[in-house]
Amino acid sequence: MQLKELSRLRQAVVFGATAILAVGVVGCSSSDDSAGSDSGATSAASSQTRTFEAQNGAIEIPSEPQSIVACGYAVLPLIQAKANLSAVCEWTREIDNMDAETKAAYDALPKVAQDADISTLDYEGVSAADPDLIIMGVPARAQSMVDMGKLQSLAPVVFLGPKAPGEWRTLGEQFADAAAVSDNYGEFKQQYDDRAAQIAAKYKDSLGTLTFGGVCDTCAGDPGEFYREFASSFTTNLFDDLGFQFPGQPADPADVHGEFVSTEQIAASLGNVNVIVYGVGPDGRVSPELQALMDSPLWKSLPAVQAGNLVPVQHALAATYQTALLALDSIDEGLSKLPANKQ
């Protein structure tokens, strides 16, 4: 999660491979018979509609949308599923998770909002993309930052925003359904399910009785505090399907999955868990924010730290089945190195 997004969320919720993909889906006229035929087919596809149940109600959308603008969590799954995208909001948080084809498709698309800041949405840019469908996958409590009236005057708007990071699983399938690319999106789900089941079975006996806690590696708070993750948070949601125990909950139930905690209170927050998990970069490097915490004597005195029960997670911001497979490989490697698996 980018720092700007977490700063905003802390106040509100602490919570194709070529340019053809970018521009080819926007209707272009041509004088030759073949192009005219294609244009007619596209127009016919766009004219068929269906009712889609979204968080903002029952929305009448194209059955086969030909020009989609996507934001938030909808961006990467729709690129991976090869939806007919004509513009997207920035989604740099997962650039390091993208393969070459996905990265090329992302780079080719016009960007209509800054990363993790939907308040910067360029409505003229959205209009220029000539959408027949707009899919907003920004966090649910950020909906108030969007001028829905303006967007709805441009195209049908489907709002599907997460309330917790772990909801990418169900939301991804909904994004793909709205974009009429469900078959493509499901390609990696079975691989993910199989890999998660394999890891769960592998460590059930050695780690099944241990308790886990998480620390966000890029969640910026005030000086002298860190972001404690409970179940289904930014990093810990990748463990949701592995059967491990992440006990506890935020003091404020509205925070749902995590909270900022004073470093002075780290023992009270993480002193009773057996294993601590945290995100690292794709190269394994620790963020400056997390390194500052790890340099603290209070961190070094935690029982889990002293026991060597730490699991760094690469690709910790993964929010699709395809990219979560990368994270599962990292988790498997980290779990295998815990002392309980070396006895």
Side-chain angles (χ1 to χ4, degrees), residues 15 18 24 48 87 91 98 164 228 240 272 285:
F15 176 110
T18 68
Q48 301 298 316
W91 189 250
M98 298 179 188
R228 162 74 152 99
D240 284 357
N272 61 347
R285 293 184 181 180

Side-chain angles (χ1 to χ4, degrees), residues 76-98:
L76 186 52
L78 293 184
I79 292 176
Q80 290 176 338
K82 296 178 171 57
N84 291 325
L85 294 167
S86 52
V88 296
C89 295
E90 290 182 347
W91 189 250
T92 60
R93 57 172 272 178
E94 285 194 83
I95 280 182
D96 291 326
N97 293 341
M98 298 179 188

Side-chain angles (χ1 to χ4, degrees), residues 41-268:
T42 297
S43 177
S46 297
S47 66
Q48 301 298 316
T49 64
R50 64 187 175 107
T51 302
F52 186 89
E53 293 293 335
Q55 292 172 1
N56 56 321
I59 312 299
E60 200 71 13
I61 68 171
S63 297
E64 297 182 23
Q66 301 300 303
S67 177
I68 303 169
V69 172
C71 289
Y73 281 76
V75 172
L76 186 52
L78 293 184
I79 292 176
Q80 290 176 338
K82 296 178 171 57
N84 291 325
L85 294 167
S86 52
V88 296
C89 295
E90 290 182 347
W91 189 250
T92 60
R93 57 172 272 178
E94 285 194 83
I95 280 182
D96 291 326
N97 293 341
M98 298 179 188
D99 58 28
E101 180 182 2
T102 302
K103 178 65 163 52
Y106 171 80
D107 288 342
L109 288 163
K111 308 303 186 295
V112 294
Q114 296 175 15
D115 195 23
D117 189 359
I118 197 60
S119 69
T120 66
L121 185 63
D122 178 3
Y123 295 90
E124 291 184 1
V126 175
S127 178
D130 193 20
D132 59 3
L133 179 64
I134 299 169
I135 301 179
M136 301 298 292
V138 299
R141 292 193 184 182
Q143 184 173 353
S144 61
M145 302 175 191
V146 178
D147 189 330
M148 293 292 284
K150 260 187 191 179
L151 286 184
Q152 289 165 343
S153 71
L154 301 175
V157 180
V158 165
F159 195 100
L160 294 167
K163 296 179 181 178
E167 292 179 357
W168 63 261
R169 294 164 175 80
T170 54
L171 288 176
E173 295 181 28
Q174 291 177 285
F175 298 143
D177 180 13
V181 288
S182 293
D183 290 346
N184 294 344
Y185 180 72
E187 179 182 352
F188 293 95
K189 184 178 187 302
Q190 190 60 55
Q191 293 181 44
Y192 171 88
D193 289 343
D194 291 346
R195 186 75 172 100
Q198 178 189 47
I199 294 173
K202 182 178 180 179
Y203 299 108
K204 180 179 179 181
D205 292 339
S206 60
L207 305 177
T209 61
L210 302 183
T211 56
F212 290 68
V215 174
C216 179
D217 61 319
T218 56
C219 301
D222 293 332
E225 63 182 17
F226 68 99
Y227 193 79
R228 162 74 152 99
E229 297 189 67
F230 298 96
S232 204
S233 190
F234 301 114
T235 308
T236 60
N237 88 83
L238 297 167
F239 292 77
D240 284 357
D241 301 311
L242 304 182
F244 298 125
Q245 304 174 56
F246 284 82
Q249 58 188 3
D252 183 352
D255 289 337
V256 184
H257 54 83
E259 63 187 356
F260 283 97
V261 177
S262 167
T263 302
E264 295 179 353
Q265 298 299 314
I266 194 170

